[in-house]
Amino acid sequence: MAMINNDWLPALQAEFKQDYYKELFYFVKQEYDKSVVYPPADDIFNAFHTTPLNDVKVLLLGQDPYHNVGQAHGMSFSVLPGQDIPPSLQNIYKELETDCGCYIPNNGYLKKWADQGVLLLNTVLTVRAHQANSHQGKGWEKFTDAVIREVNKIDRPIVYLLWGRPAQSKISMLNNPKHLILKAPHPSPLSAYRGFFGCKHFSQANEFLVANGVDPIDWQIENIN
């Protein structure tokens, strides 16, 4: 794993010393040694490398990484250039088109969002190839709960985009009156028509940020030639 070395490190350092994390580290190392695991080990903490704690404006919470070849790279909902756009992200793009007028791009690489302060966090940071949820319950949830608690402490406006029940189960941890919580069904094809489409979370997030003197997010992902 490429260790965290920006301002997330002092915030999370205590977690790395906990027994659960030592057990998690051993489990993950064993999995990489004997199985195909995504994302590549050096990409596990990409969300933190790309979006320092002091830069977070929006927390977009996913579940576990994509589990097919070449997709996951350590940021929730994002896939590397050249990969097909997964169905949930296709629906996110459709909502962006109707909400903000963004054109639908030809790729699913969301690093532009992360660079602007959108923390693309999964609750579980690794997965065995082709086995969704295979690393659930091994300790990642405790670690990412600690991440969410650190964001909750931030004394400035933050927006949470919580799509689907697993993400919304974290609401009890979020009690900062300076922050905005936006909830909707998950954008997967199974649930997007139950209220994700039409939720207008992207424009609502930007309206909140601007009203509080914070630069909005440019949600447009550009085409890659």
Side-chain angles (χ1 to χ4, degrees):
M1 295 185 211
M3 283 304 296
I4 296 169
N5 57 14
N6 58 13
D7 64 353
W8 281 106
L9 182 58
L12 298 173
Q13 201 148 28
E15 298 304 308
F16 298 126
K17 298 171 183 171
Q18 300 285 332
D19 287 344
Y20 88 83
Y21 190 86
K22 293 170 187 172
E23 292 170 13
L24 170 64
F25 185 91
Y26 179 76
F27 166 77
V28 170
K29 185 178 184 306
Q30 294 285 101
E31 284 286 284
Y32 276 96
D33 287 346
K34 70 184 184 185
S35 308
V36 177
V37 175
Y38 299 125
D42 284 346
D43 290 347
I44 291 173
F45 291 131
N46 268 355
F48 306 100
H49 300 320
T50 311
T51 311
L53 179 58
N54 199 46
D55 292 351
V56 174
K57 298 178 181 179
V58 176
L59 192 159
L60 176 50
L61 193 60
Q63 288 177 250
D64 66 342
Y66 296 122
H67 52 79
N68 290 327
V69 180
Q71 291 182 310
H73 65 104
M75 297 183 193
S76 64
F77 293 102
S78 180
V79 291
L80 288 168
Q83 294 294 318
D84 291 341
I85 301 171
S88 290
L89 185 52
Q90 291 179 29
N91 287 338
I92 289 169
Y93 284 162
K94 288 176 186 174
E95 175 60 19
L96 263 172
E97 184 180 39
T98 57
D99 184 17
C100 300
C102 295
Y103 68 80
I104 294 178
N106 62 4
N107 68 92
Y109 189 48
L110 304 182
K111 184 173 181 289
K112 177 182 174 180
W113 293 358
D115 288 336
Q116 296 177 82
V118 181
L119 180 63
L120 297 169
L121 180 68
N122 280 316
T123 53
V124 174
L125 300 187
T126 54
V127 67
R128 207 183 265 197
H130 315 303
Q131 295 181 43
N133 305 320
S134 49
H135 287 183
Q136 279 192 349
K138 302 299 183 181
W140 278 129
E141 294 92 343
K142 287 185 182 178
F143 179 75
T144 53
D145 278 358
V147 173
I148 294 166
R149 284 194 294 271
E150 289 301 318
V151 175
N152 181 64
K153 290 179 192 173
I154 296 174
D155 187 35
R156 54 182 169 77
I158 303 283
V159 181
Y160 300 91
L161 302 181
L162 303 181
W163 299 335
R165 251 176 259 162
Q168 290 165 22
S169 72
K170 308 298 182 182
I171 286 175
S172 62
M173 303 167 60
L174 307 176
N175 57 11
N176 191 321
K178 293 191 175 180
H179 297 178
L180 175 67
I181 298 169
L182 296 175
K183 300 182 295 180
H186 195 275
S188 81
L190 297 173
S191 54
Y193 287 95
R194 295 183 200 147
F196 176 77
F197 290 135
C199 71
K200 299 190 179 296
H201 278 187
F202 302 101
S203 59
Q204 286 187 65
N206 276 351
E207 286 164 10
F208 175 78
L209 293 172
V210 169
N212 285 279
V214 180
D215 288 341
I217 305 296
D218 177 2
W219 295 109
Q220 179 67 67
I221 299 295
E222 282 84 16
N223 283 336
I224 294 176
N225 294 327

